[in-house]
Amino acid sequence: ISDAAGSLLSSFAAGIAAERQAIGAAVTQPWSNGQTEGQITKLKLIKRQMYGRAKLDLLRARLCTA
């Protein structure tokens, strides 16, 4: 981080240094948002596929069967 402080990566290095504790926790903790992110991605995919074709009732029916 100190080597990058004087280079083109100085802004990135400053952000890493400011969030060092959070980054360390993200790397060492066993928690993951993978399941949540997967569900959100699936919802967005279905919404994109149905864009302009249906209202909320059809979207709800499609999500319940997916």
Side-chain angles (χ1 to χ4, degrees):
I1 294 174
S2 61
D3 290 342
S7 70
L8 294 172
L9 298 173
S10 62
S11 176
F12 178 71
I16 295 291
E19 300 293 330
R20 190 176 209 143
Q21 187 176 7
I23 292 168
V27 173
T28 60
Q29 296 297 317
W31 313 112
S32 172
N33 284 340
Q35 184 69 21
T36 304
E37 295 297 330
Q39 294 295 329
I40 291 170
T41 301
K42 185 170 92 174
L43 171 63
K44 287 181 177 181
L45 174 69
I46 292 171
K47 282 177 66 176
R48 278 189 218 105
Q49 289 174 342
M50 297 179 64
Y51 182 74
R53 286 192 252 169
K55 299 290 182 216
L56 188 58
D57 56 341
L58 185 57
L59 178 61
R60 184 178 293 125
R62 178 112 187 244
L63 280 175
C64 290
T65 61

Coordinates of all heavy atoms in Angstrom, one line a residue:
I1 N 0.8 -1.2 0.0 CA 0.0 0.0 0.0 C 0.9 1.2 0.0 O 0.6 2.2 -0.7 CB -1.0 0.0 1.2 CG1 -2.0 -1.1 1.0 CG2 -1.7 1.3 1.3 CD1 -2.9 -1.3 2.2
S2 N 1.9 1.2 0.8 CA 2.8 2.4 0.8 C 3.5 2.6 -0.5 O 3.8 3.8 -0.9 CB 3.8 2.3 2.0 OG 4.6 1.1 1.8
D3 N 3.9 1.5 -1.2 CA 4.5 1.7 -2.5 C 3.6 2.3 -3.6 O 4.0 3.0 -4.4 CB 5.0 0.3 -3.0 CG 6.2 -0.2 -2.2 OD1 6.9 0.6 -1.5 OD2 6.5 -1.4 -2.3
A4 N 2.3 1.9 -3.5 CA 1.3 2.4 -4.4 C 0.9 3.9 -4.1 O 0.3 4.5 -5.0 CB 0.1 1.5 -4.4
A5 N 1.2 4.4 -2.9 CA 0.8 5.7 -2.6 C 1.3 6.8 -3.5 O 0.7 7.8 -3.7 CB 1.1 6.0 -1.1
G6 N 2.5 6.6 -4.0 CA 3.1 7.6 -4.9 C 2.9 7.3 -6.4 O 3.5 8.0 -7.2
S7 N 2.1 6.3 -6.7 CA 2.0 6.0 -8.1 C 0.6 6.4 -8.6 O -0.2 7.1 -8.0 CB 2.2 4.5 -8.3 OG 1.1 3.8 -7.7
L8 N 0.2 5.8 -9.8 CA -1.1 6.1 -10.4 C -2.2 5.4 -9.6 O -3.4 5.8 -9.7 CB -1.2 5.6 -11.8 CG -0.3 6.3 -12.8 CD1 -0.3 5.6 -14.2 CD2 -0.8 7.7 -13.0
L9 N -1.8 4.5 -8.7 CA -2.8 3.8 -7.9 C -3.0 4.4 -6.5 O -3.5 3.8 -5.6 CB -2.3 2.3 -7.7 CG -2.2 1.5 -9.0 CD1 -1.5 0.1 -8.6 CD2 -3.5 1.3 -9.6
S10 N -2.6 5.6 -6.4 CA -2.7 6.3 -5.0 C -4.1 6.4 -4.5 O -4.3 6.2 -3.3 CB -2.0 7.7 -5.1 OG -2.7 8.5 -6.0
S11 N -5.0 6.7 -5.4 CA -6.4 6.7 -4.9 C -6.9 5.4 -4.4 O -7.6 5.2 -3.4 CB -7.3 7.2 -6.0 OG -8.7 7.2 -5.7
F12 N -6.6 4.3 -5.2 CA -7.0 3.0 -4.8 C -6.3 2.6 -3.5 O -6.9 2.0 -2.6 CB -6.6 2.0 -5.9 CG -6.9 0.6 -5.6 CD1 -8.2 0.1 -5.6 CD2 -5.8 -0.3 -5.3 CE1 -8.4 -1.2 -5.3 CE2 -6.1 -1.7 -5.1 CZ -7.4 -2.1 -5.0
A13 N -5.0 2.9 -3.4 CA -4.3 2.6 -2.1 C -4.9 3.3 -0.9 O -5.0 2.7 0.2 CB -2.8 2.9 -2.3
A14 N -5.3 4.5 -1.1 CA -5.9 5.3 0.0 C -7.2 4.6 0.4 O -7.5 4.6 1.6 CB -6.1 6.7 -0.4
G15 N -8.0 4.2 -0.6 CA -9.3 3.5 -0.2 C -9.0 2.2 0.5 O -9.8 1.9 1.4
I16 N -8.0 1.5 0.1 CA -7.7 0.2 0.8 C -7.3 0.5 2.2 O -7.7 -0.2 3.1 CB -6.6 -0.6 0.0 CG1 -7.1 -1.0 -1.4 CG2 -6.1 -1.8 0.8 CD1 -8.2 -2.1 -1.4
A17 N -6.4 1.5 2.4 CA -5.9 1.8 3.7 C -7.1 2.3 4.6 O -7.1 1.9 5.8 CB -4.9 2.9 3.6
A18 N -8.0 3.0 4.1 CA -9.1 3.5 4.9 C -10.1 2.4 5.3 O -10.7 2.4 6.3 CB -9.9 4.6 4.1
E19 N -10.2 1.4 4.4 CA -11.1 0.3 4.7 C -10.4 -1.0 5.1 O -11.0 -2.1 4.9 CB -12.0 0.0 3.4 CG -12.8 1.2 3.0 CD -13.9 1.5 4.0 OE1 -14.4 0.6 4.7 OE2 -14.3 2.7 4.1
R20 N -9.2 -0.9 5.6 CA -8.4 -2.1 5.9 C -9.1 -3.1 6.8 O -9.1 -4.3 6.6 CB -7.1 -1.6 6.5 CG -6.1 -2.7 6.7 CD -4.8 -2.2 7.2 NE -3.7 -3.1 6.7 CZ -2.6 -2.7 6.3 NH1 -2.2 -1.4 6.4 NH2 -1.7 -3.6 5.8
Q21 N -9.8 -2.6 7.9 CA -10.5 -3.5 8.8 C -11.6 -4.2 8.1 O -11.8 -5.5 8.3 CB -11.0 -2.7 10.0 CG -11.5 -3.6 11.1 CD -11.9 -2.8 12.3 OE1 -11.9 -1.6 12.3 NE2 -12.3 -3.5 13.4
A22 N -12.4 -3.5 7.3 CA -13.5 -4.2 6.6 C -13.0 -5.2 5.6 O -13.6 -6.3 5.4 CB -14.4 -3.1 5.9
I23 N -11.9 -4.9 4.9 CA -11.4 -5.8 3.9 C -10.9 -7.1 4.6 O -11.1 -8.2 4.1 CB -10.3 -5.1 3.1 CG1 -10.9 -4.0 2.2 CG2 -9.5 -6.1 2.2 CD1 -10.0 -3.1 1.5
G24 N -10.2 -6.9 5.7 CA -9.7 -8.0 6.5 C -10.8 -8.9 7.0 O -10.7 -10.1 6.9
A25 N -11.9 -8.3 7.4 CA -13.1 -9.1 7.9 C -13.7 -9.8 6.7 O -14.1 -11.0 6.8 CB -14.1 -8.2 8.5
A26 N -13.8 -9.2 5.5 CA -14.4 -9.9 4.3 C -13.6 -11.1 3.9 O -14.1 -12.1 3.4 CB -14.5 -8.9 3.2
V27 N -12.3 -11.0 4.1 CA -11.4 -12.1 3.7 C -11.4 -13.3 4.7 O -11.3 -14.4 4.3 CB -10.0 -11.6 3.4 CG1 -9.0 -12.7 3.1 CG2 -10.0 -10.6 2.3
T28 N -11.5 -12.9 6.0 CA -11.3 -13.9 7.0 C -12.6 -14.5 7.5 O -12.6 -15.6 8.1 CB -10.6 -13.4 8.2 OG1 -11.3 -12.2 8.7 CG2 -9.2 -13.0 7.8
Q29 N -13.8 -13.8 7.4 CA -15.0 -14.3 8.0 C -15.7 -15.4 7.0 O -15.5 -15.3 5.8 CB -16.0 -13.2 8.2 CG -15.5 -12.1 9.2 CD -15.4 -12.7 10.6 OE1 -16.3 -13.5 11.0 NE2 -14.3 -12.4 11.2
P30 N -16.4 -16.3 7.6 CA -17.0 -17.4 6.8 C -18.4 -16.9 6.2 O -18.9 -17.7 5.4 CB -17.3 -18.5 7.8 CG -17.5 -17.8 9.1 CD -16.5 -16.6 9.0
W31 N -18.8 -15.7 6.4 CA -20.1 -15.3 5.9 C -20.0 -15.0 4.4 O -19.0 -14.5 3.9 CB -20.6 -14.0 6.6 CG -20.5 -14.1 8.1 CD1 -19.6 -13.4 8.9 CD2 -21.1 -15.0 9.0 NE1 -19.7 -13.8 10.2 CE2 -20.7 -14.8 10.3 CE3 -22.1 -16.0 8.8 CZ2 -21.1 -15.5 11.4 CZ3 -22.5 -16.7 9.9 CH2 -22.1 -16.4 11.2
S32 N -21.1 -15.2 3.7 CA -21.2 -14.9 2.3 C -22.6 -14.4 1.9 O -23.6 -14.8 2.4 CB -20.9 -16.2 1.5 OG -21.1 -16.0 0.1
N33 N -22.6 -13.5 0.9 CA -23.9 -13.0 0.4 C -24.2 -13.7 -0.9 O -25.1 -13.3 -1.6 CB -23.8 -11.5 0.1 CG -23.8 -10.7 1.3 OD1 -24.3 -11.1 2.4 ND2 -23.4 -9.4 1.2
G34 N -23.6 -14.8 -1.2 CA -23.8 -15.5 -2.5 C -25.2 -15.9 -2.7 O -25.7 -15.7 -3.8
Q35 N -25.9 -16.5 -1.7 CA -27.3 -16.9 -1.9 C -28.2 -15.7 -2.2 O -29.0 -15.7 -3.1 CB -27.8 -17.6 -0.7 CG -29.2 -18.2 -0.8 CD -29.3 -19.4 -1.7 OE1 -28.3 -20.0 -2.0 NE2 -30.4 -19.6 -2.3
T36 N -28.0 -14.6 -1.5 CA -28.8 -13.4 -1.7 C -28.6 -12.8 -3.1 O -29.5 -12.5 -3.8 CB -28.5 -12.4 -0.6 OG1 -28.7 -12.9 0.7 CG2 -29.4 -11.1 -0.8
E37 N -27.3 -12.7 -3.4 CA -26.9 -12.2 -4.7 C -27.5 -13.0 -5.9 O -27.9 -12.5 -6.9 CB -25.4 -12.0 -4.9 CG -24.8 -11.0 -3.9 CD -25.3 -9.6 -4.1 OE1 -25.6 -9.3 -5.3 OE2 -25.4 -8.9 -3.1
G38 N -27.5 -14.3 -5.7 CA -28.0 -15.2 -6.7 C -29.5 -15.0 -6.9 O -30.0 -15.0 -8.1
Q39 N -30.3 -14.8 -5.8 CA -31.7 -14.6 -6.0 C -32.0 -13.3 -6.7 O -32.9 -13.1 -7.5 CB -32.4 -14.6 -4.6 CG -32.3 -16.0 -3.9 CD -33.1 -17.0 -4.6 OE1 -34.1 -16.7 -5.3 NE2 -32.7 -18.2 -4.6
I40 N -31.2 -12.2 -6.3 CA -31.4 -10.9 -6.9 C -31.0 -11.0 -8.4 O -31.8 -10.4 -9.3 CB -30.5 -9.9 -6.2 CG1 -31.0 -9.6 -4.8 CG2 -30.4 -8.6 -7.0 CD1 -30.1 -8.8 -4.0
T41 N -30.0 -11.7 -8.8 CA -29.6 -11.9 -10.2 C -30.7 -12.6 -11.0 O -31.1 -12.2 -12.1 CB -28.3 -12.7 -10.3 OG1 -27.3 -11.9 -9.6 CG2 -27.9 -12.9 -11.8
K42 N -31.3 -13.6 -10.4 CA -32.4 -14.3 -11.0 C -33.6 -13.4 -11.2 O -34.2 -13.4 -12.3 CB -32.8 -15.6 -10.2 CG -33.9 -16.4 -10.8 CD -34.0 -17.7 -10.1 CE -35.1 -17.6 -9.0 NZ -35.5 -18.8 -8.4
L43 N -34.0 -12.6 -10.2 CA -35.1 -11.7 -10.3 C -34.8 -10.7 -11.5 O -35.7 -10.4 -12.3 CB -35.3 -11.0 -9.0 CG -36.3 -9.8 -9.1 CD1 -37.7 -10.3 -9.4 CD2 -36.3 -9.1 -7.7
K44 N -33.6 -10.1 -11.5 CA -33.3 -9.2 -12.6 C -33.4 -9.8 -14.0 O -33.8 -9.1 -14.9 CB -31.9 -8.6 -12.3 CG -31.9 -7.6 -11.1 CD -30.5 -7.0 -11.0 CE -30.5 -6.0 -9.9 NZ -29.2 -5.4 -9.7
L45 N -32.9 -11.0 -14.1 CA -33.0 -11.7 -15.4 C -34.4 -11.9 -15.8 O -34.7 -11.6 -17.0 CB -32.3 -13.1 -15.3 CG -32.4 -14.0 -16.5 CD1 -31.6 -13.4 -17.6 CD2 -32.0 -15.4 -16.2
I46 N -35.3 -12.3 -14.9 CA -36.7 -12.5 -15.3 C -37.3 -11.2 -15.6 O -38.1 -11.1 -16.6 CB -37.4 -13.2 -14.1 CG1 -36.9 -14.7 -14.0 CG2 -38.9 -13.2 -14.4 CD1 -37.4 -15.4 -12.8
K47 N -37.0 -10.1 -14.9 CA -37.6 -8.8 -15.2 C -37.1 -8.3 -16.6 O -37.9 -7.8 -17.3 CB -37.1 -7.8 -14.1 CG -37.9 -7.9 -12.8 CD -37.4 -6.9 -11.8 CE -37.6 -5.5 -12.2 NZ -37.2 -4.5 -11.2
R48 N -35.9 -8.5 -16.9 CA -35.4 -8.1 -18.2 C -36.1 -8.9 -19.4 O -36.4 -8.4 -20.4 CB -33.9 -8.3 -18.3 CG -33.1 -7.2 -17.7 CD -31.6 -7.3 -18.1 NE -30.9 -6.9 -16.9 CZ -30.2 -7.8 -16.1 NH1 -30.2 -9.1 -16.3 NH2 -29.6 -7.3 -15.0
Q49 N -36.3 -10.2 -19.1 CA -36.9 -11.0 -20.1 C -38.4 -10.6 -20.4 O -38.9 -10.7 -21.5 CB -36.9 -12.5 -19.7 CG -35.6 -13.1 -19.8 CD -35.6 -14.5 -19.2 OE1 -36.5 -14.9 -18.5 NE2 -34.5 -15.3 -19.5
M50 N -39.0 -10.1 -19.3 CA -40.4 -9.7 -19.4 C -40.6 -8.2 -19.6 O -41.8 -7.8 -19.7 CB -41.1 -10.2 -18.2 CG -41.1 -11.7 -18.0 SD -41.9 -12.2 -16.5 CE -43.6 -11.7 -16.8
Y51 N -39.6 -7.5 -19.9 CA -39.7 -6.0 -20.0 C -40.7 -5.6 -21.0 O -40.6 -6.0 -22.2 CB -38.3 -5.4 -20.2 CG -38.4 -3.9 -20.3 CD1 -38.5 -3.2 -19.1 CD2 -38.3 -3.2 -21.5 CE1 -38.6 -1.8 -19.2 CE2 -38.4 -1.9 -21.6 CZ -38.5 -1.1 -20.4 OH -38.6 0.2 -20.4
G52 N -41.7 -4.8 -20.7 CA -42.7 -4.3 -21.6 C -43.8 -5.3 -21.9 O -44.7 -4.9 -22.6
R53 N -43.8 -6.5 -21.4 CA -44.8 -7.5 -21.8 C -45.8 -7.7 -20.7 O -46.9 -8.1 -21.0 CB -44.1 -8.8 -22.0 CG -43.4 -8.9 -23.3 CD -43.1 -10.3 -23.6 NE -41.6 -10.4 -23.4 CZ -41.0 -11.5 -23.4 NH1 -41.6 -12.7 -23.5 NH2 -39.7 -11.6 -23.3
A54 N -45.5 -7.4 -19.4 CA -46.4 -7.8 -18.4 C -46.4 -6.8 -17.2 O -45.5 -6.0 -17.1 CB -46.1 -9.2 -17.9
K55 N -47.3 -6.9 -16.4 CA -47.4 -6.2 -15.2 C -46.9 -7.0 -14.0 O -46.5 -8.1 -14.1 CB -48.8 -5.6 -14.9 CG -49.3 -4.8 -16.0 CD -48.6 -3.4 -16.0 CE -49.2 -2.6 -17.1 NZ -48.2 -1.7 -17.8
L56 N -47.1 -6.5 -12.8 CA -46.6 -7.1 -11.6 C -47.2 -8.5 -11.3 O -46.6 -9.4 -10.9 CB -46.9 -6.2 -10.4 CG -46.3 -6.7 -9.1 CD1 -44.8 -6.8 -9.2 CD2 -46.6 -5.7 -8.0
D57 N -48.5 -8.7 -11.7 CA -49.1 -10.0 -11.4 C -48.5 -11.2 -12.2 O -48.3 -12.2 -11.7 CB -50.6 -9.9 -11.7 CG -50.9 -9.5 -13.2 OD1 -50.1 -8.9 -13.8 OD2 -52.1 -9.7 -13.6
L58 N -48.1 -10.9 -13.5 CA -47.5 -12.0 -14.3 C -46.0 -12.2 -13.8 O -45.6 -13.3 -13.7 CB -47.5 -11.6 -15.8 CG -46.9 -12.7 -16.7 CD1 -47.7 -14.0 -16.5 CD2 -47.0 -12.2 -18.1
L59 N -45.4 -11.1 -13.4 CA -44.0 -11.2 -12.8 C -44.0 -12.1 -11.6 O -43.2 -13.0 -11.4 CB -43.4 -9.9 -12.6 CG -42.0 -9.9 -11.9 CD1 -41.0 -10.5 -12.8 CD2 -41.6 -8.4 -11.6
R60 N -45.0 -11.8 -10.7 CA -45.2 -12.6 -9.4 C -45.4 -14.1 -9.7 O -44.8 -15.0 -9.1 CB -46.3 -12.0 -8.6 CG -46.4 -12.7 -7.3 CD -47.5 -12.1 -6.4 NE -47.2 -10.7 -6.0 CZ -48.0 -9.7 -6.2 NH1 -49.2 -9.8 -6.8 NH2 -47.6 -8.5 -5.8
A61 N -46.3 -14.4 -10.7 CA -46.6 -15.7 -11.1 C -45.3 -16.4 -11.6 O -45.0 -17.6 -11.3 CB -47.7 -15.8 -12.1
R62 N -44.6 -15.7 -12.4 CA -43.3 -16.3 -13.0 C -42.3 -16.6 -11.9 O -41.6 -17.6 -12.0 CB -42.8 -15.3 -14.0 CG -41.5 -15.7 -14.7 CD -41.8 -16.1 -16.1 NE -40.6 -16.6 -16.7 CZ -39.8 -16.1 -17.6 NH1 -40.2 -15.0 -18.2 NH2 -38.8 -16.7 -18.1
L63 N -42.2 -15.7 -10.9 CA -41.2 -15.9 -9.9 C -41.6 -17.0 -9.0 O -40.7 -17.8 -8.5 CB -41.1 -14.6 -9.0 CG -40.2 -13.5 -9.6 CD1 -40.2 -12.3 -8.7 CD2 -38.8 -14.0 -9.7
C64 N -42.8 -17.2 -8.7 CA -43.3 -18.3 -7.8 C -43.0 -19.7 -8.5 O -42.8 -20.7 -7.8 CB -44.7 -18.1 -7.5 SG -45.0 -16.7 -6.4
T65 N -43.0 -19.8 -9.8 CA -42.8 -21.0 -10.5 C -41.3 -21.2 -10.8 O -40.9 -22.3 -11.1 CB -43.6 -21.1 -11.8 OG1 -43.2 -20.1 -12.7 CG2 -45.1 -21.1 -11.5
A66 N -40.5 -20.2 -10.8 CA -39.1 -20.3 -11.1 C -38.2 -21.0 -10.1 O -38.5 -21.0 -8.9 CB -38.5 -18.9 -11.5

